[in-house]
Amino acid sequence: MKRFLFTALLFGLLALGGAAQPVFAQSAPAVSTTAATEIDYATWDVEAVRAENLIAAGTASTAFLENLRVTLVNWRTRFLTAQDANADRIATLQAQIDALGPAPAEGEGVPAAIADRRAALMEQMAQAQLPRVTANEAFNRANGLIAEIDAILADRQARALFERDPAPVNPLNWPPALTGAADLFGLLGNEVRSQIAAYRSLGESPWDRAFFAVLLSAAGLFLVLRSRVFVGRWTDLLQQDGTARPGREAFAFVISLLQVLFPITGLVIIGAAIGTLDLLGDAGGALLRAAISGLVAVYLALWLGGRLFPANDAIGAAFGVAPPLRPSLRRAILLIGLFFGLGSLAETISVQDVIALSARGVFVLPVYVGLAGAFLWLATLLGQHRHQLRDGPEPGDGGFSSRLLLGVIIAVRVVAILGTILAAAGYLSLAEAAMTPTALTLGLLAALVALQSPIRALYALVSGQTQEEAAQALLPVLVNLLLVFVALPVLALIWGMRTEQISEIISQFFAGIDLGGTRITPAIVLAVGLVFAIGMIATRLLQGALRSTVLPRTRLDSGARHAVVAGVGYVGIGLAAVIAITTAGIDLTALGVVLGALSVGIGFGLQNVVNNFVSGIILLIERPISEGDWIEVGPTMGIVKSISVRSTVIETFNKTDVIVPNADLISGTVTNWTRGNTIGRAVLTVGVAYGTDTRRVQAILEEVAASVPGVAKYPEPGVDFLGFGADSLDFRIRAILRDVNELVDVKTEINHRIAERFVAEGIEIPFAQRDIWLRNPEALHAAPQAATDAATSSATAAKDKPA
């Protein structure tokens, strides 16, 4: 049964008595390790013709086609292995042929010895490639046959979904259901009586084993009824304050798994106790297994509800659900698990021989209705939580979690309504294919969400970070994404994909693709990544040795050392890439077309990038600027912070980083204040009042400039009398600095000392003044009198105006 198989797949229940069918029973057997070249192609041809005839006839059963598919998969695996036959020999022959030079054009004469040798090598090449070509042709033939069988099986599976049973809402189908239920009870009683009669015929009694069965049942009942309580108390004790340390939270999650493991163990023990009595027949054993399967689903639902929406309000819930909604959500999840388990029991009852076909839907429909109601209740509760998020103190769309909840709400509501309608109309298989996978998908998603918190806690424990820091880290997110990818095959099985189809996808994935005459497989990709990583590590180690040990002992300046280290890095990365690709057996000449296409793109869209890259290489080689230089590029002035192959980072004196493309540094004008040495010049201007002794002022300024620390003694500072300004006598100070980086400090100190010395000497530093002369000063006296006369006239007019 599909529901029971899914339960066994997801929850790991091993059915009692060996009645459960392995989910992966159709997987291909192991391939023999015999030489791939020793394949009996005559036998394969017979098998292939037989498979083609069966596929063309379309009359073979599904089980027969599945077995035939296993055989074809086995052949295809051998052919895939045989495609690598004589690889070393072919490579050697190809190297010999290439050594003879290019093949001569038609009519072009070549020495006879070379022509004969080329012909002999070509013949050997053809013989060496024959097994590979034959295996490739057989591989494609087997692959095509497998694809045809998959298409037939998929078509049959789709048609089975749309088969219509008698409608369970039809009252005419209810009496057969009641009769079938009574017959089923009678069948169970007959099976028990038959087993007792068999015991008596052997002179034994089933009650001889009753004591042992009672002990097993008591132990099983204790685990089923009380283990969850004890484990729950232990878990609450670890998380009682809601702020448990990462180690305790991760340990609490592991302990909580016992809430599922212990009850399932108890159920298995109870089933074993009942099996010890050996009183049940086929029907009774099937019902017992279905009941245990249903109870497993219930306990899993209880665990998931408790992990997602804890009863302890101090512990955070999934999606940030508020405490008032948590009990209802736990009950909704429990109802889904309960009706899912009842569905397993109802389907087991409906397929018994004593149940008429018309009565099958009568047993299944109530379960689907209950499951649909649980779906709708869950969707309503999640919708309430989503509205609370949107209407909360920080309204918004809620991000990814809110969109995920919205998708779950819509999907669950659609499935609940559509599944109920289909089941009522008699499309029981289609309803099961919609509702059962939905329940299992919700369980799988809930398990993935429940794993997020312990993964973060474990990461925080290992890394020594806090819970808040771990919640923002990248590694836990990547681990959760990996779990999602791992869950994809399970999700595909849940939604009806056959194990053969999944195996086919996995086989195609590991078989790889052809690129440039080489088959690229995951193993080759892993090898390329590993070799490239080793090359990168070796390059970094070499760079570190050069930077810290070798280059400091040379006479190269810091800029040259940086250029050497950067150049070694680029060469090392390029060599690592080439070695990694050639190690994987990929022919680099096959990438010529790709590189040609890239050159066109470089010529148009990437020309600026390439221009900056080449300019960066020139900067590293010529070194017109180096890290730590004080430069000026256009309006930008600052210290060179770093030089890369695309751009240069300049830190301005405002402590902001300006990213300048390298092309601007090559094509534009760059002022380097510290290139070669740090000697620079400070220039200041100062003015004194008219009437001041200019020679005395010049001597004072020369004395002040020479006394300031940082000013070079040779050449001595100079003072120039610039001339007669509009408001002052102007002088200019020229001082050579030993370190131009101290320019601002030196200028400030010189200005301070000039001001102090001028005050002491009584020398005035003038400021701009202007004298204003009025051409007609009498106009200033006439204006106030005119304003007074106008005001008097206005007041008189207002007084004479009638009311």
Side-chain angles (χ1 to χ4, degrees):
M1 292 178 296
K2 182 179 179 181
R3 183 189 298 267
F4 181 71
L5 289 177
F6 279 138
T7 307
L9 171 65
L10 292 180
F11 305 135
L13 176 63
L14 298 178
L16 302 178
Q21 298 294 329
V23 175
F24 294 99
Q26 300 299 330
S27 59
V31 180
S32 174
T33 58
T34 57
T37 55
E38 298 177 0
I39 298 176
D40 189 353
Y41 285 99
T43 304
W44 156 245
D45 190 65
V46 173
E47 289 283 352
V49 172
R50 172 171 164 267
E52 290 168 352
N53 293 334
L54 290 172
I55 293 173
T59 57
S61 64
T62 299
F64 188 86
L65 287 177
E66 289 176 348
N67 292 330
L68 178 61
R69 187 187 186 282
V70 172
T71 303
L72 294 176
V73 168
N74 190 15
W75 279 105
R76 185 182 63 179
T77 305
R78 296 176 62 189
F79 298 145
L80 179 62
T81 306
Q83 291 183 14
D84 294 331
N86 299 333
D88 296 336
R89 180 59 180 162
I90 292 173
T92 302
L93 290 172
Q94 185 62 49
Q96 290 179 273
I97 295 173
D98 294 339
L100 297 177
E106 185 177 357
E108 182 180 352
V110 294
I114 295 179
D116 294 341
R117 183 57 179 166
R118 184 185 300 277
L121 291 175
M122 293 299 294
E123 183 178 357
Q124 295 179 33
M125 176 68 79
Q127 292 296 327
Q129 289 180 339
L130 181 59
R132 173 181 292 187
V133 174
T134 306
N136 189 31
E137 184 274 334
F139 173 85
N140 292 327
R141 187 179 184 184
N143 200 40
L145 293 174
I146 292 172
E148 293 182 35
I149 292 177
D150 287 339
I152 294 174
L153 295 178
D155 180 67
R156 291 182 180 180
Q157 185 179 14
R159 282 185 292 164
L161 287 177
F162 289 93
E163 291 182 356
R164 186 168 181 263
D165 295 317
V169 294
N170 188 352
L172 297 178
N173 296 326
W174 299 349
L178 296 176
T179 303
D183 293 340
L184 180 60
F185 281 110
L187 176 62
L188 294 176
N190 291 334
E191 288 182 348
V192 173
R193 285 189 290 272
S194 298
Q195 292 296 105
I196 294 176
Y199 273 111
R200 289 176 179 174
S201 65
L202 298 175
E204 299 177 0
S205 173
W207 312 120
D208 296 337
R209 311 176 185 178
F211 180 73
F212 181 67
V214 169
L215 289 180
L216 286 179
S217 299
L221 284 174
F222 175 79
L223 291 175
V224 170
L225 299 178
R226 301 301 300 170
S227 62
R228 291 194 73 257
V229 178
F230 290 115
V231 175
R233 290 176 182 174
W234 193 2
T235 305
D236 292 340
L237 183 62
L238 291 172
Q239 295 181 304
Q240 58 183 355
D241 58 354
T243 58
R245 294 188 297 273
R248 297 184 65 182
E249 183 174 350
F251 184 64
F253 176 82
V254 175
I255 294 300
S256 70
L257 294 175
L258 299 178
Q259 290 183 313
V260 179
L261 181 61
F262 282 166
I264 291 179
T265 304
L267 292 173
V268 173
I269 292 175
I270 293 173
I274 297 174
T276 301
L277 298 176
D278 197 15
L279 293 176
L280 299 179
D282 294 338
L287 291 176
L288 176 63
R289 291 189 291 272
I292 293 177
S293 173
L295 289 175
V296 169
V298 170
Y299 278 104
L300 281 169
L302 285 171
W303 178 78
L304 286 174
R307 293 305 304 175
L308 293 178
F309 312 108
N312 187 350
D313 295 344
I315 302 175
F319 306 111
V321 173
L325 280 179
R326 296 185 188 181
S328 298
L329 284 167
R330 290 197 297 270
R331 287 192 288 269
I333 294 175
L334 176 60
L335 277 181
I336 293 176
L338 176 62
F339 282 107
F340 181 84
L342 289 176
S344 177
L345 184 61
E347 288 187 0
T348 303
I349 293 173
S350 65
V351 297
Q352 298 301 314
D353 294 336
V354 295
I355 304 299
L357 179 61
S358 60
R360 179 189 172 215
V362 178
F363 292 98
V364 177
L365 179 61
V367 176
Y368 286 155
V369 173
L371 188 59
F375 283 164
L376 293 176
W377 189 20
L378 177 65
T380 301
L381 294 174
L382 293 178
Q384 293 177 6
H385 169 62
R386 189 169 181 271
H387 286 304
Q388 290 177 2
L389 289 179
R390 295 177 61 185
D391 301 335
E394 296 181 359
D397 61 353
F400 175 75
S401 298
S402 179
R403 292 191 292 271
L404 177 61
L405 284 178
L406 179 60
V408 170
I409 292 169
I410 295 175
V412 166
R413 285 175 176 170
V414 171
V415 170
I417 297 173
L418 186 60
T420 304
I421 295 174
L422 291 173
Y427 292 99
L428 300 179
S429 298
L430 196 56
E432 179 188 1
M435 301 191 72
T436 300
T438 299
L440 291 171
T441 301
L442 289 176
L444 184 62
L445 292 177
L448 293 175
V449 174
L451 284 172
Q452 292 185 3
S453 179
I455 288 175
R456 289 195 298 267
L458 186 60
Y459 175 77
L461 177 64
V462 173
S463 62
Q465 299 180 355
T466 63
Q467 291 280 55
E468 292 75 12
E469 292 173 342
Q472 303 299 324
L474 176 62
L475 185 59
V477 176
L478 296 179
V479 173
N480 288 322
L481 288 176
L482 179 62
L483 290 177
V484 171
F485 282 111
V486 171
L488 289 179
V490 180
L491 193 63
L493 284 174
I494 287 174
W495 286 96
M497 182 176 287
R498 304 191 321 277
T499 56
E500 297 87 354
Q501 293 175 298
I502 297 178
S503 300
E504 182 68 17
I505 294 174
I506 296 176
S507 298
Q508 294 293 338
F509 174 75
F510 283 103
I513 59 175
D514 286 328
L515 179 63
T518 303
R519 182 171 292 274
I520 305 300
T521 63
I524 290 179
V525 174
L526 181 62
V528 170
L530 183 61
V531 174
F532 183 74
I534 294 175
M536 285 289 296
I537 294 173
T539 301
R540 297 308 182 200
L541 291 176
L542 179 58
Q543 285 181 297
L546 291 174
R547 185 184 296 109
S548 61
T549 305
V550 179
L551 295 178
R553 290 176 169 81
T554 64
R555 297 182 179 180
L556 297 177
D557 57 20
S558 61
R561 292 198 295 267
H562 174 75
V564 171
V565 172
V568 170
Y570 298 138
V571 174
I573 292 174
L575 289 177
V578 172
I579 294 173
I581 294 174
T582 54
T583 301
I586 301 175
D587 188 4
L588 293 178
T589 58
L591 301 178
V593 177
V594 178
L595 295 177
L598 286 177
S599 64
V600 177
I602 291 173
F604 291 95
L606 301 179
Q607 55 182 349
N608 291 332
V609 175
V610 175
N611 186 16
N612 289 323
F613 180 83
V614 174
S615 299
I617 299 297
I618 294 174
L619 288 177
L620 292 176
I621 295 175
E622 293 186 353
R623 297 181 295 107
I625 61 174
S626 302
E627 291 184 5
D629 285 355
W630 174 10
I631 68 172
E632 182 177 358
V633 184
T636 303
M637 176 183 290
I639 305 299
V640 177
K641 191 174 182 180
S642 64
I643 303 174
S644 64
V645 293
R646 193 198 66 84
S647 60
T648 297
V649 179
I650 300 175
E651 183 180 11
T652 67
F653 298 115
N654 294 328
K655 296 301 180 182
T656 57
D657 289 344
V658 178
I659 301 175
V660 179
N662 289 332
D664 294 348
L665 299 175
I666 295 298
S667 60
T669 301
V670 179
T671 302
N672 194 331
W673 292 82
T674 57
R675 178 63 179 169
N677 55 65
T678 59
I679 297 176
R681 189 177 77 163
V683 178
L684 298 87
T685 58
V686 62
V688 297
Y690 275 92
T692 308
D693 185 355
T694 57
R695 296 190 181 277
R696 178 60 180 163
V697 171
Q698 181 176 359
I700 292 174
L701 293 177
E702 289 176 349
E703 182 180 349
V704 168
S707 66
V708 174
V711 176
K713 301 301 181 181
Y714 181 82
E716 296 179 351
V719 176
D720 303 324
F721 180 24
L722 298 180
F724 305 92
D727 304 297
S728 63
L729 302 172
D730 297 332
F731 293 83
R732 179 177 63 190
I733 303 174
R734 296 174 285 101
I736 301 299
L737 308 182
R738 289 189 292 269
D739 189 353
V740 74
N741 293 308
E742 300 177 357
L743 176 64
V744 176
D745 295 336
V746 171
K747 281 186 174 182
T748 301
E749 183 62 23
I750 291 176
N751 287 328
H752 279 306
R753 297 193 181 193
I754 289 175
E756 295 169 356
R757 187 67 180 274
F758 279 6
V759 170
E761 297 289 341
I763 299 175
E764 178 184 359
I765 300 177
F767 53 88
Q769 301 183 30
R770 295 292 182 269
D771 293 333
I772 301 176
W773 294 85
L774 298 179
R775 178 173 297 178
N776 299 316
E778 62 276 5
L780 296 177
H781 299 284
Q785 184 63 36
T788 301
D789 296 342
T792 303
S793 301
S794 299
T796 304
K799 182 177 180 181
D800 296 340
K801 186 178 180 180

